[in-house]
Amino acid sequence: MRTPDRTALLVAQSNTGQLHRVDPVSGAGTHVHLGSVTLIGGDGLLMLGRTLYVVQGGSNVVSVVRLNASGTSGRLIDQRADPRFDVPTGVARFGDRLYLTNARTEVSSPQTERFTVVALPI
């Protein structure tokens, strides 16, 4: 995911909950300052302007973070949950909605189970 100013990449380190800003040329990364907020289980990322949506599948939430233009710091502005979440992973925008795929990691037979996508208003 690109930073709002499009000069670097943002990646989530799911096991520590940290967000990192990565220089695409050198590969060097720096920690994005979010205060005391961690994004444990961060998986799918979606940037809309300076607003970053971070899907945290293990927690069944989407954290909404407002970043500065360079993507070096931000603050949590919302956390969204939905009873239809079943380990959401990816996220995409279409129109005025976010669409999140459910991984359903606890199903016994993935080949025959039905998987779902959850739509949320932005």
Side-chain angles (χ1 to χ4, degrees):
M1 182 61 43
R2 288 184 178 178
T3 55
D5 66 5
R6 304 175 71 82
T7 62
L9 303 172
L10 294 171
V11 296
Q13 185 176 356
S14 62
N15 64 330
T16 65
Q18 292 185 345
L19 188 64
H20 298 277
R21 184 180 189 277
V22 178
D23 181 301
V25 175
S26 70
T30 57
H31 176 75
V32 176
H33 300 284
L34 300 175
S36 62
V37 172
T38 59
L39 303 169
I40 298 292
D43 191 357
L45 301 175
L46 176 68
M47 181 75 70
L48 298 177
R50 288 179 32 202
T51 302
L52 178 66
Y53 295 86
V54 181
V55 180
Q56 294 173 260
S59 304
N60 282 325
V61 299
V62 178
S63 290
V64 185
V65 177
R66 181 75 172 168
L67 295 169
N68 66 357
S70 61
T72 57
S73 67
R75 63 183 173 85
L76 182 70
I77 58 172
D78 195 12
Q79 282 194 311
R80 300 180 63 187
D82 190 285
R84 299 170 294 167
F85 285 167
D86 190 359
V87 190
T89 57
V91 60
R93 175 189 180 186
F94 186 80
D96 63 351
R97 294 191 177 277
L98 300 177
Y99 291 85
L100 296 98
T101 54
N102 280 321
R104 302 198 61 207
T105 57
E106 300 298 319
V107 298
S108 59
S109 181
Q111 296 82 3
T112 58
E113 287 289 335
R114 186 173 177 183
F115 287 82
T116 57
V117 174
V118 176
L120 298 176
I122 295 175

